[in-house]
Amino acid sequence: MVDESFRNYRAEARASVRELYRLNHRFQTVEFVRAKQAEFLPKARRVMGIWEAMEFLDTLVDDSDPDTELPQIEHLLQTAEAIRRDGHPRWFALTGLIHDLGKVLCLFGEPQWAVVGDTFPVGCARSDTIVFPELFADNPDSRVPEYQTSGGIYQPGCGLANVLMSWGHDEYLYHVVGGHLPEEAGYVIRYHSFYPAHREGAYAHLMNDHDRAMLRWVRMFSAYDLYTKRSERPNVTALRPFYDELIAEYFPPTLRW
Ligand SMILES: [Fe+2]
Ligand SMILES: [Fe+2]
């Protein structure tokens, strides 16, 4: 179901998208990732429920988001609806509904380049399957010898859970919602922007059996995430009762963000 045109759209990026990756590739370093984890993983910014977070995120209007051109709430509902239509488990539709909620980071004042776009490991050699690899030239980590080998600071087969990923909405949301969801759902949320791995097959040397088992869900999910660009606009009001119930099945009324 993955349509090549969606990745082509990403490849023939608008100037704003290239600029986003210029900043992303310049500033995503081991030190930056550790600092952002320390800043946001205590989840002390806000207390809100899932639907409230969806409405909050929908106030974000930024056409330089390379992930979608739709209003955020429509992208979320379309992803969820496409999954539901294909008869997948309820948790998988819920994953579609919430997968981009980590983009509320933008509304907390974070720059787009530190929130959206494809992700990749830091602290080891970068795969040339990462978009715009030439834009890493000015990244300070490019001059740290320890980070230039394929394994870098990691043991072979250590598992992605032990790997520092470039900071963005995936990792952040995983820490907000992961504890309430099946493991597969948490994994999809955490790695859905990790295109170099789930699309290109890179970084296999850092993965363990758990990653290999879970990646199939990320790949399946990715088709729905991309697919929704062309489907009809969802009727938010009509869909809300179904999703309110689904949200309540897994989540408490509020979460810490
Ligand atoms: Fe995303
Ligand atoms: Fe998405």
Side-chain angles (χ1 to χ4, degrees):
M1 201 165 81
V2 175
D3 185 326
E4 290 300 322
S5 68
F6 295 134
R7 283 303 285 187
N8 290 343
Y9 132 85
R10 298 169 72 99
E12 296 161 12
R14 292 160 280 165
S16 61
V17 172
R18 188 182 161 89
E19 175 60 10
L20 180 140
Y21 279 111
R22 190 185 68 77
L23 295 167
N24 175 284
H25 290 5
R26 165 71 180 78
F27 293 113
Q28 292 276 359
T29 61
V30 169
E31 196 185 332
F32 176 80
V33 171
R34 289 201 173 120
K36 286 298 162 187
Q37 290 184 345
E39 185 179 352
F40 286 104
L41 299 192
K43 301 182 287 185
R45 293 283 164 143
R46 214 172 156 121
V47 176
M48 57 187 169
I50 292 291
W51 194 275
E52 195 185 344
M54 288 167 62
E55 289 180 333
F56 181 46
L57 180 63
D58 207 41
T59 65
L60 176 67
V61 179
D62 195 329
D63 67 359
S64 66
D65 186 342
D67 300 343
T68 182
E69 290 174 328
L70 289 174
Q72 299 288 343
I73 204 163
E74 294 191 16
H75 171 60
L76 293 175
L77 281 164
Q78 284 187 351
T79 307
E81 282 291 284
I83 292 169
R84 185 182 162 199
R85 221 176 288 130
D86 281 354
H88 288 297
R90 285 169 70 82
W91 64 258
F92 200 37
L94 181 60
T95 304
L97 186 75
I98 66 174
H99 74 279
D100 279 338
L101 288 181
K103 292 183 184 178
V104 297
L105 284 169
C106 289
L107 297 165
F108 296 156
E110 291 299 290
Q112 272 240 325
W113 62 263
V115 179
V116 303
D118 297 1
T119 59
F120 49 87
V122 295
C124 61
R126 304 180 192 98
S127 163
D128 52 16
T129 65
I130 300 171
V131 284
F132 303 119
E134 71 280 9
L135 296 178
F136 283 115
D138 292 331
N139 186 300
D141 281 1
S142 301
R143 292 181 291 280
V144 179
E146 198 188 357
Y147 302 160
Q148 310 313 313
T149 61
S150 69
I153 59 174
Y154 310 109
Q155 294 301 315
C158 64
L160 292 183
N162 295 305
V163 169
L164 286 175
M165 298 295 295
S166 58
W167 177 252
H169 68 285
D170 298 39
E171 181 74 12
Y172 169 64
L173 185 67
Y174 168 73
H175 289 278
V176 173
V177 301
H180 299 282
L181 296 170
E183 203 165 0
E184 294 86 346
Y187 197 94
V188 166
I189 286 166
R190 196 174 195 180
Y191 299 109
H192 74 271
S193 302
F194 191 11
Y195 280 89
H198 70 69
R199 167 107 181 177
E200 310 292 345
Y203 295 104
H205 59 288
L206 298 177
M207 294 181 195
N208 58 19
D209 286 343
H210 180 66
D211 294 310
R212 286 183 280 275
M214 291 287 137
L215 266 179
R216 67 176 276 264
W217 287 102
V218 186
R219 290 198 183 98
M220 206 188 310
F221 177 81
S222 180
Y224 293 106
D225 193 6
L226 296 170
Y227 165 81
T228 59
K229 284 194 70 196
R230 65 180 159 208
S231 45
E232 282 164 32
R233 300 187 70 165
N235 182 334
V236 179
T237 313
L239 291 171
R240 178 152 185 186
F242 173 84
Y243 286 105
D244 272 343
E245 199 177 305
L246 180 53
I247 290 165
E249 208 174 301
Y250 288 90
F251 290 109
T254 60
L255 297 164
R256 289 173 48 225
W257 298 76

